[in-house]
Amino acid sequence: MGSGTGNDVLGRGLRVLGKAIRAEPRLFVVSSLGSSLFGLLIVANSYVVGFLIGHVVAPAFAAHRVSAAGLALAVAALLGISALRVASIFARRLGAGFMQFRLQARYRRAVTRRYLSLPPEWHQRHATGSLLSNASSDVEAAFAPIAPLPFAVGTIVMLLGAMIALFVTDWVLAMVGVALFPALFALNFFYSRRMSPRQIHAQRMRAKVATVAHESFDGALVVKTMGREADESRRFAVFVTELRDGLVAVGRLRGVFDPLMESLPSVGTLAVLVLGTWRLQNGAVTVSEVISVAFLFTVLAFPVRAIGWVIGELPRSVAGWDRVQAVLSAEGDLRYGEGELPGDGPAELRFDRVGYRYADGPPVLTEVSFAVPAGRTVALVGATGSGKSTIAALALRLVDPESGSVSLDRVKLPDLSAAALAGAGALVPQIPFVFDDTVRGNVSLDRPGVGDDEVWAALRLAQAERFTGGLPERLDTAVGERGTSLSGGQRQRLTLARALAGRPRLLVLDDATSAVDPRVEAAILGALRAAGTSLLVVAYRRASIALADEVVYLHQGRVVATGTHQELMATQEGYRELVTAYEKADK
């Protein structure tokens, strides 16, 4: 996205505001009416002050006596206007605040829902820090102009009311307003054009800083063990410095703009006093009218700045909105059908001439065909890069094949509903993810029908019952962020128990037991076989491979051979060498 011209940013920013107003029309009306009342009260207050000085204060000085009735009138008038201004400010701020925060919450939810609906392949192309920025600072930036927007609307009403009042008072004094008000708008427009690229650059750098920070913190273990603290600090400092310089550029321009906005109404006040004295001498105006107009110009500066605040935030709003829309309009959704799986026992998984490639890269899988019969265990064996993890992802439809089809119980996966697919299959990935929650929370995920009995049953199948029973608070033990209080093998068994608690008809293990003892792994696979669940296992250890009913041997994305472990050891030299190498590496 280019920075664009000032007109582009102004137009696009106003369209964003239009979408916000259409989304929350009632709150906008409430806040705008409150602000408009406030603006008109400023004009009214100026004329009330002028009237009181001309008809109460000045006569009191002339008579050397204060009239009780005049004093009561002054107090009543000022208190009445003050009370109305308090009510108008309350309505403006409450409406604008609710409107801004509701829009931010709505779009944060929308961005998060969109993240969760997009396939893993999309997430792999986008840095986590940038995604965090989309859901937080970008959404905040998109609706930053909402807070001052009703104030700006009230300011416009105030200026219109002021111009009418000025022309009613005296056309000569009104000409000062005719000259001043366009100058204020022109200054705001010029400010917007100059501020636009600075705000857009600063918003981009916020996302970049978040990305680098997340990467450094997420890889803290690698950074510390490799002694890269100083290098990472320097790398982070480069982006932080660029963000600082960008924000300084924003502040420098704002530092020039704000004094100019303050000085123009002061110039108008001076002009009113000069012209008002001349008109007063000619008898064209009264003292009250001159004081009213002069007082009006002295209080214009602050409300008029609200227009500048809105225009000044538009570039940042456009930058944030574009980044949010890039997520909401992202393509790559997996479309689901409405089908259900027949029966309720173990499901048959079948790959039929499946081909797949990532983006525009070379083929990862070519003409892959095999089946996992219901209730049986099939092991996927192949060298690194042969496509095993891709098959695991395709089996649970994390991605769709480029060609061919994948089916469960003869129903193609795209024809199944999302609920049916999620209920039928479960994947335990290579890298276990544990939530910052209790053991119970991590296994049950608050799913209906998964109580403590089901949690303990899943832990037994995953060979995790013993270590869980030894924890200080058993199921209520908090495991820390990413399960930091657990060992690698314990985390793997906990995530396996999570998958088993849902009673899947097909379980896919993508090297999901690599961190546990071989004997424990054999016990886990044996228990799963005895449970009758259909199993697709990415396996490396010879003992684990030997437990499978059938082995699918992959080489460079193709199925080279299928059969029992003993058959492949006898007939496939490449398989034999690979398994032997695994066995030697495991010793």
Side-chain angles (χ1 to χ4, degrees):
M1 180 189 66
S3 61
T5 66
N7 289 334
D8 292 336
V9 172
L10 182 61
R12 293 170 62 203
L14 292 176
R15 285 194 290 273
V16 173
L17 293 181
K19 294 178 187 294
I21 292 169
R22 289 193 294 272
E24 296 289 349
R26 292 182 180 178
L27 290 174
F28 176 74
V29 169
V30 169
S31 56
S32 296
L33 287 177
S35 182
S36 298
L37 176 60
F38 177 80
L40 293 175
L41 286 172
I42 288 179
V43 178
N45 188 61
S46 301
Y47 281 84
V48 168
V49 168
F51 175 83
L52 293 176
I53 291 176
H55 294 83
V56 177
V57 177
F61 274 106
H64 301 288
R65 182 173 59 85
V66 177
S67 167
L71 184 61
L73 176 63
V75 171
L78 293 176
L79 286 179
I81 289 179
S82 296
L84 289 173
R85 288 177 67 176
V86 168
S88 67
I89 292 172
F90 179 79
R92 184 194 80 217
R93 290 188 175 178
L94 190 65
F98 267 71
M99 182 178 177
Q100 184 179 43
F101 297 140
R102 288 183 64 169
L103 285 167
Q104 289 176 354
R106 178 181 304 171
Y107 275 86
R108 284 193 172 107
R109 289 194 296 267
V111 168
T112 302
R113 283 196 299 267
R114 192 71 189 115
Y115 283 162
L116 296 177
S117 68
L118 289 165
E121 185 181 3
W122 184 89
H123 287 267
Q124 292 165 2
R125 298 197 305 268
H126 297 81
T128 304
S130 181
L131 300 184
L132 291 173
S133 180
N134 291 149
S136 56
S137 65
D138 288 333
V139 171
E140 182 179 337
F143 299 109
I146 295 300
L149 177 62
F151 201 178
V153 172
T155 298
I156 293 174
V157 172
M158 179 196 72
L159 293 178
L160 291 174
M163 287 302 300
I164 293 172
L166 287 174
F167 274 103
V168 169
T169 302
D170 183 61
W171 71 270
V172 174
L173 297 181
M175 296 308 294
V176 177
V178 170
L180 178 64
F181 296 158
L184 290 171
F185 281 107
L187 181 60
N188 275 302
F189 179 74
F190 175 77
Y191 172 69
S192 174
R193 287 178 61 92
R194 298 295 300 271
M195 182 61 79
S196 172
R198 290 170 170 81
Q199 288 278 30
I200 291 173
H201 175 69
Q203 193 63 22
R204 286 175 177 170
M205 289 312 302
R206 284 187 179 96
K208 189 63 179 177
V209 166
T211 298
V212 176
H214 179 273
E215 187 177 62
S216 298
F217 303 154
D218 209 33
L221 182 61
V222 175
V223 171
K224 292 195 71 66
T225 55
M226 300 298 291
R228 303 293 296 175
E229 295 96 329
D231 298 277
E232 280 299 300
S233 296
R234 282 193 293 270
R235 185 168 77 101
F236 185 63
V238 170
F239 296 102
V240 170
T241 300
E242 189 170 351
L243 174 59
R244 179 205 65 191
D245 294 343
L247 293 175
V248 167
V250 169
R252 186 181 293 118
L253 182 59
R254 188 168 288 159
V256 173
F257 170 76
D258 287 349
L260 289 175
M261 284 297 296
E262 291 282 356
S263 63
L264 278 179
S266 300
V267 172
T269 303
L270 181 61
V272 165
L273 291 175
V274 172
L275 291 174
T277 302
W278 171 63
R279 296 289 287 172
L280 184 62
Q281 291 174 345
N282 293 334
V285 294
T286 65
V287 172
S288 295
E289 290 171 336
V290 173
I291 292 173
S292 296
V293 175
F295 186 80
L296 176 62
F297 276 86
T298 61
V299 297
L300 278 179
F302 181 73
V304 168
R305 288 183 65 186
I307 300 174
W309 293 335
V310 173
I311 295 176
E313 290 288 355
L314 288 183
R316 182 174 169 228
S317 173
V318 169
W321 178 260
D322 285 346
R323 291 174 59 82
V324 169
Q325 288 303 307
V327 175
L328 298 181
S329 62
E331 298 179 351
D333 298 71
L334 298 177
R335 304 297 180 185
Y336 291 91
E338 299 180 356
E340 301 289 331
L341 284 179
D344 57 4
E348 178 195 60
L349 173 70
R350 184 173 294 276
F351 277 63
D352 184 17
R353 302 171 66 86
V354 169
Y356 186 79
R357 73 176 71 220
Y358 289 98
D360 297 325
V364 177
L365 299 176
T366 305
E367 297 286 317
V368 170
S369 297
F370 69 91
V372 179
R376 308 288 279 177
T377 299
V378 172
L380 283 176
V381 178
T384 301
S386 59
K388 303 184 296 298
S389 292
T390 301
I391 288 177
L394 287 162
L396 271 303
R397 209 188 171 215
L398 298 182
V399 292
D400 278 334
E402 186 179 58
S403 59
S405 64
V406 182
S407 60
L408 278 176
D409 281 349
R410 307 288 177 173
V411 180
K412 292 181 179 179
L413 297 190
D415 295 334
L416 291 171
S417 68
L421 182 57
L427 169 68
V428 185
Q430 290 176 321
I431 302 175
F433 182 84
V434 178
F435 294 96
D436 187 5
D437 200 349
T438 62
V439 172
R440 178 189 290 105
N442 268 285
V443 176
S444 70
L445 296 182
D446 292 328
R447 287 172 285 185
V450 183
D452 283 3
D453 291 341
E454 288 75 17
V455 169
W456 280 115
L459 290 169
R460 278 193 294 273
L461 275 177
Q463 301 296 304
E465 181 184 27
R466 179 176 298 179
F467 88 76
T468 301
L471 293 174
E473 299 179 61
R474 294 163 63 85
L475 294 183
D476 292 314
T477 302
V479 297
E481 186 178 3
R482 294 179 178 267
T484 52
S485 65
L486 304 176
S487 69
Q490 289 172 336
R491 288 195 294 270
Q492 284 193 331
R493 281 178 277 172
L494 197 62
T495 54
L496 176 58
R498 176 195 299 156
L500 292 170
R503 297 177 290 278
R505 300 174 61 181
L506 169 70
L507 182 61
V508 180
L509 306 180
D510 185 6
D511 193 22
T513 53
S514 59
V516 302
D517 183 273
R519 289 173 297 179
V520 175
E521 181 185 37
I524 291 172
L525 293 178
L528 293 177
R529 287 189 67 187
T533 302
S534 302
L535 282 175
L536 177 61
V537 183
V538 175
Y540 290 92
R541 292 169 176 163
R542 183 169 185 164
S544 303
I545 296 170
L547 289 172
D549 299 303
E550 186 176 58
V551 177
V552 176
Y553 173 42
L554 293 169
H555 180 65
Q556 295 183 350
R558 295 178 181 272
V559 176
V560 176
T562 59
T564 65
H565 171 63
Q566 291 77 13
E567 290 171 349
L568 295 185
M569 287 291 287
T571 60
Q572 296 293 322
E573 181 180 356
Y575 175 83
R576 184 167 57 251
E577 292 176 351
L578 182 62
V579 173
T580 302
Y582 286 158
E583 190 173 23
K584 290 179 179 178
D586 204 37
K587 290 182 178 178

